[in-house]
Structure formats: C-alpha cells, structure tokens
C-alpha cells in the first residue's frame, strides 16, 4: 500500500481545501480514503477532525462535492482502480443522495454508479 505521493497536485489540493485529514491510498486496484465525516465539536469536548473545524450542513455538502470531483480525477489518473473504499462516508440519506448524484456526473466514476445508489453500501 502506498500513499498517492506521485499525485502531488491532488494531495496539495486535498490539504489546501481541507477535504480530509487523511490522504487517499491505492493498493493494487483499490482506492481507499477516509474522507472525514462532517466536522463537529463533540460532546467529549474535542473536534472530530485534525483541522479543528465545525461545518454547517451546507459546508459539508460543498466539501462532499469537492471530494466527488477529486475522486473522479484520481480515477482518471489511475484508471485501473476497480474498487473505491470510503471511510467516514455520508450517513444522512440526504447527504448520501447528494454525494451519489455528484459522483455520477463524472464519466470516470460511472462504473461505480450502481454501488453509489445502493443504500447498503453506506452501512
């Protein structure tokens, strides 16, 4: 397994835009990425993210749109990807629907469209 260090511009964009506090990783034909749940300050008195951010619902959905864009570009840059495994993916049905629709816009993500529409994939 190796981080996508050779996609330096993508990695820099992920950090700059605070898309996630984790880098995407590819092993063989699998893209794995912890995309970070909605950023919040928890009841335990700490942030649930390394950026120490809180997001409104609108900000979270905007970040999900950018993540879909980044996934599409990663799949273009590495076309042998057959499986995308996302950790901390959306759990709210509205967010799932919006994220799925955003991903389906990109031709490089079309082969994943069926699983994006499967609610069981988000449990």
């Amino acid at each position: 397994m190796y981080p996508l260090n050779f996609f330096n511009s993508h990695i820099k964009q992920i950090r700059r835009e605070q898309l996630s506090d984790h880098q995407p990783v590819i092993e063989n034909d699998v893209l794995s990425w912890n995309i970070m749940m909605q950023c919040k300050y928890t009841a335990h008195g700490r942030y649930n993210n390394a950026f120490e951010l809180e997001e409104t619902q609108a900000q979270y959905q905007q970040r999900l749109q950018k993540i879909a864009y980044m996934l599409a570009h990663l799949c273009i840059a590495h076309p042998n990807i057959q499986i995308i495994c996302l950790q901390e993916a959306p759990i709210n049905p509205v967010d799932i629907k919006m994220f799925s629709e955003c991903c389906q816009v990109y031709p490089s993500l079309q082969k994943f469209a069926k699983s994006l529409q499967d609610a069981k994939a988000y449990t």
Side-chain angles (χ1 to χ4, degrees):
M1 187 176 345
Y2 56 92
L4 297 176
N5 292 330
F6 51 93
F7 292 118
N8 285 332
S9 64
H10 291 123
I11 299 303
K12 287 178 184 175
Q13 183 179 359
I14 289 167
R15 288 183 185 143
R16 182 179 59 248
E17 295 188 28
Q18 298 179 321
L19 299 183
S20 176
D21 51 7
H22 299 273
Q23 290 185 26
V25 174
I26 291 179
E27 183 174 2
N28 300 320
D29 59 354
V30 178
L31 167 60
S32 180
W33 189 13
N34 181 325
I35 60 172
M36 198 167 66
M37 65 180 62
Q38 183 173 355
C39 298
K40 295 182 179 183
Y41 190 77
T42 71
H44 301 291
R46 63 180 183 83
Y47 291 93
N48 67 351
N49 63 88
F51 301 122
E52 297 185 348
L53 294 175
E54 289 188 73
E55 290 176 308
T56 65
Q57 186 68 19
Q59 290 169 325
Y60 176 56
Q61 288 191 351
Q62 184 178 32
R63 183 165 59 86
L64 289 174
Q65 291 172 357
K66 292 177 182 179
I67 288 170
Y69 174 84
M70 182 59 63
L71 286 170
H73 282 273
L74 290 171
C75 287
I76 289 168
H78 206 13
N80 66 324
I81 292 172
Q82 297 299 312
I83 298 169
I84 297 176
C85 178
L86 300 177
Q87 297 86 36
E88 297 190 23
I91 58 172
N92 178 322
V94 173
D95 296 331
I96 292 169
K97 183 178 186 300
M98 188 278 310
F99 182 65
S100 174
E101 289 171 355
C102 288
C103 288
Q104 291 176 46
V105 168
Y106 301 103
S108 63
L109 297 177
Q110 289 304 305
K111 65 184 172 185
F112 307 104
K114 185 175 180 182
S115 63
L116 284 167
Q117 295 170 348
D118 184 357
K120 290 181 275 185
Y122 294 89
T123 58

